[in-house]
Amino acid sequence: MSGTKDKVLVTRPLFPDVVDRLREYFEVMVNEGPRYTSEQLHDALSGMKGAIVAGGEKIDDRVLQGHTGLKAICVSAAGFNNVDVAALTRAGIIGTNSPGPADETVADFTWGLMIATARRLVEAAFWVERGEWKATAMASRFFGSNLCDKTLGILGMGRIGQAIARRAVGFRMNVLYNNRRRLDTGLEVECRAAYRTREDVLREADLLVLAMPYSPENHHLIGAAELRLMKPTAMLFNIARGGLIDETALAAALRSGALAGAGLDVFEAEPVIEPGLRDLPNVILTPHTAGATEEAQHGLASMAADNLIAALGFGPDAGRPCGVFNPEVLGK
């Protein structure tokens, strides 16, 4: 390429080979420091033609204000609830996400979280680390629950929900799901999953997984009323977005014995966690790491880079980025 290259911003360090690919087309500015505040992100976008942002960086009118030369914002994550889509569309900016590369990684993590919670692995490991294993172990001290032959409920049956369901066959599980749209028959057979109303899934699940995207419409989808529908022996797992659960109501249910356990990788105000959840022995809390493998993160970064290159009119897919969540902008 010749001539002056457009500038693009990468708000978090990416894999060197991905940055090198971007540099074939653009002058690339990479934030190597702490995460930008909203004000810093607004300033950093000055003079940029496009940007790759992470899943937690808020994009709204204030951040976009005055950046008339900005043409594309590409999220290096499957979720994009950090982006005000209407604001992006008003500004005539293409928005893309990166669906797919982390699906299997997140499904693996979900099963690890379910096993660890049901079998009380973290409690038992800390007990050993604290030097409290001083005599023959009492098996009853860490009685947990089997996963085999139980009912797995999944709310949200997109790619990740389906990947979680497929793994259930090895545990001889009965899989029930609820989704905004019912899957076609072929996918239901492949996943060995049966469609139910949300209320029936809540009532029947021994292990309930939340795997849907967050939206204002499903804010606190699981609250006190929904928790009361669940079995007292049931366990709840969230690997989607924190705002789906009323964390205060969940802490109360776990503390009272109305729910047996929970495993949470996401939180409504992360990194701040509802205080009532922090000291409970029947909950495992992890720092939004379900997709944290090198393979998954490289795939997400690569897809975001491909999207940015295409959105700005370069590469083999010039003008045709995938994962566009405001396609009406493409025609303008």
Side-chain angles (χ1 to χ4, degrees):
M1 298 183 64
S2 60
T4 303
K5 293 180 178 180
D6 291 322
K7 292 182 180 181
V8 299
L9 175 69
V10 177
T11 63
R12 306 274 186 91
L14 292 183
F15 295 85
D17 65 303
V18 176
V19 175
D20 287 344
R21 190 156 82 251
L22 288 169
R23 284 187 174 133
E24 293 178 25
Y25 302 96
F26 313 115
E27 182 179 345
V28 183
M29 314 298 289
V30 181
N31 174 29
E32 302 283 356
R35 178 185 291 195
Y36 288 133
T37 65
S38 291
E39 292 76 13
Q40 289 169 335
L41 180 54
H42 173 270
D43 293 344
L45 285 170
S46 179
M48 297 296 162
K49 192 73 171 287
I52 293 178
V53 304
E57 289 160 333
K58 191 169 181 60
I59 305 295
D60 55 17
D61 282 314
R62 183 174 59 171
V63 168
L64 299 174
Q65 185 176 11
H67 298 312
T68 56
L70 189 62
K71 300 302 179 187
I73 294 284
C74 301
V75 183
S76 60
F80 55 93
N81 57 293
N82 58 309
V83 177
D84 183 335
V85 178
L88 211 65
T89 303
R90 282 193 298 271
I93 298 169
I94 298 167
T96 73
N97 66 327
S98 302
D103 295 350
E104 301 298 331
T105 299
V106 173
D108 285 349
F109 181 94
T110 304
W111 278 94
L113 190 59
M114 288 195 289
I115 292 169
T117 305
R119 295 303 307 276
R120 302 173 62 185
L121 296 187
V122 173
E123 275 186 272
F126 281 158
W127 189 67
V128 173
E129 288 175 12
R130 290 193 302 264
E132 296 180 30
W133 188 15
K134 299 181 184 300
T136 302
M138 298 177 291
S140 61
R141 183 183 186 93
F142 296 109
F143 270 180
S145 302
N146 285 348
L147 274 70
C148 280
D149 303 312
K150 296 293 177 65
T151 294
L152 173 64
I154 302 175
L155 297 183
M157 202 63 162
R159 297 178 315 277
I160 292 173
Q162 292 168 33
I164 292 167
R166 289 187 188 98
R167 286 157 170 76
V169 64
F171 292 84
R172 299 192 303 269
M173 279 186 157
N174 175 39
V175 180
L176 307 177
Y177 80 95
N178 182 263
N179 197 49
R180 184 172 50 184
R181 288 185 294 272
R182 183 170 180 171
L183 301 182
D184 64 44
T185 302
L187 268 178
E188 287 189 341
V189 171
E190 181 184 333
C191 295
R192 302 191 184 192
Y195 181 83
R196 294 287 189 275
T197 66
R198 184 186 301 163
E199 291 73 18
D200 283 346
V201 174
L202 289 168
R203 290 188 186 97
E204 297 181 41
D206 297 302
L207 299 104
L208 178 69
V209 176
L210 305 186
M212 78 275 286
Y214 173 82
S215 69
E217 291 72 31
N218 59 23
H219 180 71
H220 288 185
L221 178 80
I222 303 297
E226 290 75 22
L227 291 166
R228 283 194 294 270
L229 291 176
M230 297 178 67
K231 301 174 184 178
T233 54
M235 297 183 179
L236 174 64
F237 302 90
N238 190 4
I239 46 79
R241 287 294 183 266
L244 296 170
I245 295 178
D246 180 339
E247 293 169 2
T248 302
L250 175 59
L254 290 164
R255 195 174 297 277
S256 69
L259 196 69
L264 308 175
D265 185 52
V266 290
F267 306 90
E268 185 168 358
E270 57 189 51
V272 177
I273 296 174
E274 161 63 38
L277 292 170
R278 296 177 66 93
D279 62 347
L280 293 173
N282 55 342
V283 61
I284 294 179
L285 311 174
T286 55
H288 203 148
T289 54
T293 65
E294 184 169 354
E295 299 93 330
Q297 292 304 308
H298 188 275
L300 292 169
S302 293
M303 181 174 284
D306 289 343
N307 285 342
L308 184 58
I309 291 166
L312 296 183
F314 298 102
D317 298 312
R320 302 184 309 276
C322 70
V324 178
F325 50 73
N326 58 346
E328 58 270 38
V329 175
L330 283 176
K332 296 182 179 180

